[in-house]
Amino acid sequence: MWRAPDIVRSVNERAGSWLPKLQEVGERLAEEWVTARRPPSTGDVPQPHELRASDADRERIAQVLQDAHADGRLTLDELEERLGTLYAARTLGELAGLTVDLLPADQQPLNLDGRPVSAIFKKEQRGGRWVVPAELDVTAMFGTTKLDFRDAILQNRQMIINATLVFGGLEIHVPEGLEVVRVVKGETVRLTKQPTEPGAPVVEVRTTNFAGEVKVKEPPRRKRRR
C-alpha cells in the first residue's frame, strides 16, 4: 500500500524529470512568438556593447580587477595590462570583456544581455548594471520575471516592455524619477505613485496576458522637511 510520503516523493521525482523539458519547450515557443511579432530592425539603434563607457563604469571594472589581484586570481603584470586596456577602452563591450573570466555571469559588474527575458515555470530576473534597450520582450508562464531599473543604464527616455503573462507575474523595481505606465487595450494606467518631473523617463508596459499581474516597487517616500 502506498503511503502519503511515498506518493509525494513519486510526484516530486516525476516533476524533476519532465519540468526541465517543459521549461525548454516553453522558452523555445516564447522565443518564436517574440520573433514573429518583432518588427524588422532598422539598425539605427546601437547595441549594448557599442554604447560609450562612463568613468563610473570604468571604476566598477577597476575594483573587480583589483580584488582579483588581491586574492591571487590576477598577477601584477596581468592587473597592469588589464588596467591599461580598461582606461583606454571607449565602449561598454570593451569593459565587459575584462572580467568575463573573473566572476560568474550573474555577478558581472556589467550585464550587456539584450535578449528577451523568459520565465517558464521559474523565476528570472534582470538587474544590476544592465543596459535597458528601447524595447524589451518579457514572457512569464507560471513563473515570475523581475526587472530592476535602480542601477540600470537607460538607452532611451521612453522604453517599451512587451509582456506576455500567462498565470505569471512581472515585477518592476524603479528608482526615483522613473515613471511606469501600463497599456491594456488602448487604455493607459499609471502604475507608479510618486510624482515625476516633466520629461522624466517612462517605462511603458504593454501586456498580453491571461491571469497575469504587474507589480511596481518604488523607493520609500522622502519625508519633507518642516
Side-chain angles (χ1 to χ4, degrees):
M1 180 179 294
W2 283 83
R3 296 177 299 173
D6 295 328
I7 296 175
V8 172
R9 189 181 306 112
S10 176
V11 171
N12 289 338
E13 289 175 354
R14 291 178 182 177
S17 64
W18 57 258
L19 188 54
K21 295 180 181 178
L22 183 60
Q23 290 173 337
E24 182 180 352
V25 172
E27 289 175 357
R28 186 163 61 249
L29 291 175
E31 184 176 351
E32 292 176 357
W33 162 254
V34 167
T35 302
R37 69 175 186 173
R38 183 186 298 130
S41 175
T42 62
D44 295 335
V45 179
Q47 296 300 307
H49 68 275
E50 297 174 326
L51 296 177
R52 289 282 181 150
S54 69
D55 288 339
D57 291 320
R58 291 187 181 87
E59 291 306 315
R60 287 172 182 269
I61 302 298
Q63 186 61 57
V64 173
L65 297 178
Q66 290 165 2
D67 291 344
H69 170 62
D71 62 22
R73 285 175 291 153
L74 288 179
T75 66
L76 180 58
D77 288 341
E78 289 173 324
L79 173 63
E80 292 177 348
E81 180 182 357
R82 295 199 189 193
L83 286 176
T85 303
L86 167 68
Y87 290 111
R90 295 184 177 182
T91 66
L92 294 179
E94 293 174 284
L95 297 188
L98 295 172
T99 60
V100 170
D101 60 342
L102 299 178
L103 293 172
D106 61 346
Q107 297 179 24
Q108 289 292 324
L110 282 175
N111 184 350
L112 307 184
D113 186 358
R115 295 175 300 173
V117 183
S118 298
I120 314 296
F121 288 95
K122 60 181 178 179
K123 182 175 182 178
E124 284 291 335
Q125 62 181 11
R126 190 72 56 82
R129 190 66 170 166
W130 65 293
V131 179
V132 183
E135 191 163 353
L136 179 66
D137 296 299
V138 171
T139 303
M141 299 176 63
F142 298 93
T144 303
T145 52
K146 175 183 174 182
L147 303 179
D148 192 337
F149 290 89
R150 289 173 294 183
D151 200 24
I153 301 172
L154 306 182
Q155 198 166 354
N156 291 71
R157 298 192 68 80
Q158 181 168 358
M159 295 141 283
I160 297 174
I161 298 176
N162 297 309
T164 301
L165 310 175
V166 181
F167 290 100
L170 170 59
E171 184 177 301
I172 303 174
H173 290 247
V174 299
E176 289 185 2
L178 180 60
E179 184 178 9
V180 181
V181 299
R182 183 178 183 180
V183 179
V184 183
K185 296 180 179 179
E187 182 180 353
T188 301
V189 179
R190 192 174 191 270
L191 299 182
T192 41
K193 306 300 181 183
Q194 298 186 23
T196 55
E197 298 293 331
V202 178
V203 176
E204 182 180 304
V205 183
R206 300 177 181 177
T207 53
T208 301
N209 68 308
F210 182 79
E213 185 179 21
V214 179
K215 292 183 179 180
V216 176
K217 303 288 186 178
E218 299 180 74
R221 290 179 178 270
R222 292 184 180 181
K223 293 183 179 180
R224 294 182 178 180
R225 295 181 179 179
R226 294 183 177 180

